[in-house]
Amino acid sequence: MSEEVRGKVEWFKDYQFIGKIEIDSCSVILGEGGISPMKLLLLSVAGCTAYDVVMILKKMREPIEGLEVRISGERREEHPKIYEKVHLHYVIRGKVKEEKVRRAIELSQDKYCSASAHVKLSGAELTYSYEIIRSGGMD
């Protein structure tokens, strides 16, 4: 049986709303003074794949020290203004093997990341790139 997720978005004031998932302890401000729902969608994709990549690399026993996922999206002009193109750039820090990094990203994008799958199912072109920083800080 599938898991049901429940939440709510409540109008706070003016053009500001507060969103919360029932079982989670944090809330998000949507609209003015907060984040737009479409920008939150991009962050959701980045967060979903970031979680996957860290989990997969740790299971591969790769010495990952840090990860940043940069995301950009282009929306169409007409309504609904869905994303037509989304690009992810992974910056991985640590003495990790490139083939393992590539495999972890592929697994996330082709199998595990539900948020990426939703964006792809909407017809958006989703691309990605990566870089590995083997010493020093992230730029």
Side-chain angles (χ1 to χ4, degrees):
M1 179 173 209
S2 64
E3 175 189 355
E4 181 181 23
V5 177
R6 293 178 180 217
K8 69 177 181 176
V9 171
E10 187 173 355
W11 181 31
F12 178 62
K13 65 179 180 179
D14 299 322
Y15 295 100
Q16 194 173 72
F17 304 82
I18 298 175
K20 183 171 180 10
I21 297 296
E22 276 186 4
I23 61 172
D24 292 342
S25 60
C26 65
S27 298
V28 63
I29 297 172
L30 301 161
E32 288 181 0
I35 189 167
S36 79
M38 290 302 287
K39 289 176 183 172
L40 187 58
L41 177 60
L42 278 185
L43 287 181
S44 296
V45 171
C48 180
T49 190
Y51 182 92
D52 291 343
V53 169
V54 168
M55 180 190 64
I56 293 165
L57 287 173
K58 284 182 171 275
K59 283 187 177 182
M60 291 177 171
R61 301 191 195 294
E62 286 297 298
I64 184 170
E65 296 171 7
L67 171 69
E68 179 179 307
V69 179
R70 300 173 188 162
I71 190 164
S72 60
E74 294 178 31
R75 295 170 66 184
R76 69 183 191 181
E77 300 264 335
E78 65 275 358
H79 290 280
K81 295 181 180 182
I82 62 174
Y83 287 105
E84 292 182 304
K85 294 181 181 181
V86 173
H87 183 76
L88 295 154
H89 182 71
Y90 299 81
V91 182
I92 297 104
R93 197 174 78 238
K95 294 181 180 175
V96 294
K97 295 181 184 83
E98 184 172 356
E99 62 273 6
K100 301 277 184 155
V101 166
R102 186 173 37 252
R103 182 68 180 139
I105 293 169
E106 287 171 356
L107 281 169
S108 175
Q109 287 304 313
D110 297 339
K111 184 174 183 179
Y112 294 112
C113 184
S114 302
S116 289
H118 271 282
V119 168
K120 290 179 207 171
L121 285 171
S122 75
E125 175 190 357
L126 194 144
T127 57
Y128 59 86
S129 57
Y130 64 89
E131 64 183 282
I132 300 169
I133 300 172
R134 291 199 162 71
S135 64
M138 298 178 87
D139 59 317

